[in-house]
Amino acid sequence: SQQGEEDPQALSIQEGENATMNCSYKTSINNLQWYRQNSGRGLVHLILIRSNEREKHSGRLRVTLDTSKKSSSLLITASRAADTASYFCATDESGGSYIPTFGRGTSLIVHP
Amino acid sequence: SQTIHQWPATLVQPVGSPLSLECTVEGTSNPNLYWYRQAAGRGLQLLFYSVGIGQISSEVPQNLSASRPQDRQFILSSKKLLLSDSGFYLCAWSVSSGLYNEQFFGPGTRLTVL
């Protein structure tokens, strides 16, 4: 079953704008991860945030986690055309096997 | 450094034919290994995972099977393909400690069943 669900399903912005994607999940988690997938390629890990963390940065990426709302957001600042890709969140349930469950993803298009 | 290989990159097979997709990992020992399927515009569906040689856990009962004959080799098979088996198949690995389960994905195999 799908644990994380990304929102929106699709996002279209201009280069230089910020892109925000959200992920909601249903059960308590150990970790939440964000991955990126270019069309027709494998997924690439972007960032992992633990359940006891609230915010994490990596370059132009900022991830927040609100465990009370069971949600996370991924912010890409000053977007570039090369950021065009699908973005997935993945969660693993507390007390579970640490195998991440992926959402359906947000398709981001950044127009040059 | 670790690398993961998948082949073939693309495959077109008739309904009822057998399937064998191979995944190998280099540069690490005793990895956890995973097979996912991704339908068009959808998320990843976990099919199988393995924590060691000969140890396979199936997440979704279906027409497919998996085997791990060697530590860093993971094979996805079918005896008779169905149209619904079409999709993008991804192999992934993670370290076996499990606490922070970052996964590393292969390039994928695009399977079309006609």
Side-chain angles (χ1 to χ4, degrees), chain A residues 31 35 37 50 98 103-104, chain B residues 38 42-43 98-101 103:
Chain A
N31 308 294
Y35 288 80
Q37 183 181 33
R50 290 178 262 177
Y98 294 102
R104 289 190 172 89
Chain B
Q38 185 178 30
R42 303 294 298 275
L99 197 55
Y100 302 118
N101 217 3
Q103 292 187 316

Side-chain angles (χ1 to χ4, degrees), chain B residues 3-19:
Chain B
T3 55
I4 178 169
H5 305 279
Q6 273 187 257
W7 64 92
T10 59
L11 191 58
V12 180
Q13 292 284 104
V15 169
S17 64
L19 173 74

Side-chain angles (χ1 to χ4, degrees), chain B residues 28-48:
Chain B
T28 187
S29 296
N30 195 32
N32 293 337
L33 295 171
Y34 310 83
W35 278 112
Y36 289 90
R37 177 169 59 203
Q38 185 178 30
R42 303 294 298 275
L44 275 69
Q45 179 187 33
L46 179 64
L47 302 176
F48 302 95

Side-chain angles (χ1 to χ4, degrees), chain A residues 8-51:
Chain A
Q9 290 187 2
L11 183 60
S12 180
I13 60 174
Q14 293 296 127
E15 210 166 29
E17 295 180 340
N18 295 340
T20 300
M21 290 158 269
N22 302 296
C23 171
S24 59
Y25 56 93
K26 297 174 183 173
T27 65
S28 296
I29 61 172
N30 298 308
N31 308 294
L32 185 144
Q33 303 177 61
W34 284 93
Y35 288 80
R36 167 196 167 121
Q37 183 181 33
N38 284 32
S39 181
R41 307 293 295 274
L43 279 72
V44 175
H45 183 264
L46 295 176
I47 200 163
L48 180 150
I49 187 166
R50 290 178 262 177
S51 60

Side-chain angles (χ1 to χ4, degrees), chain B residues 55-109:
Chain B
Q55 299 179 62
I56 309 294
S57 296
S58 174
E59 290 295 301
V60 183
Q62 55 201 324
N63 186 41
L64 302 169
S65 62
S67 62
R68 184 171 178 174
Q70 300 180 45
D71 181 45
R72 289 168 287 180
Q73 184 184 29
F74 206 22
I75 298 171
L76 183 69
S77 304
S78 174
K79 292 182 179 178
K80 287 186 178 181
L81 284 168
L82 306 172
L83 285 174
S84 57
D85 291 324
S86 292
F88 191 49
Y89 288 82
L90 289 159
C91 180
W93 73 272
S94 68
V95 297
S96 57
S97 61
L99 197 55
Y100 302 118
N101 217 3
E102 174 185 352
Q103 292 187 316
F104 301 91
F105 284 81
T109 295

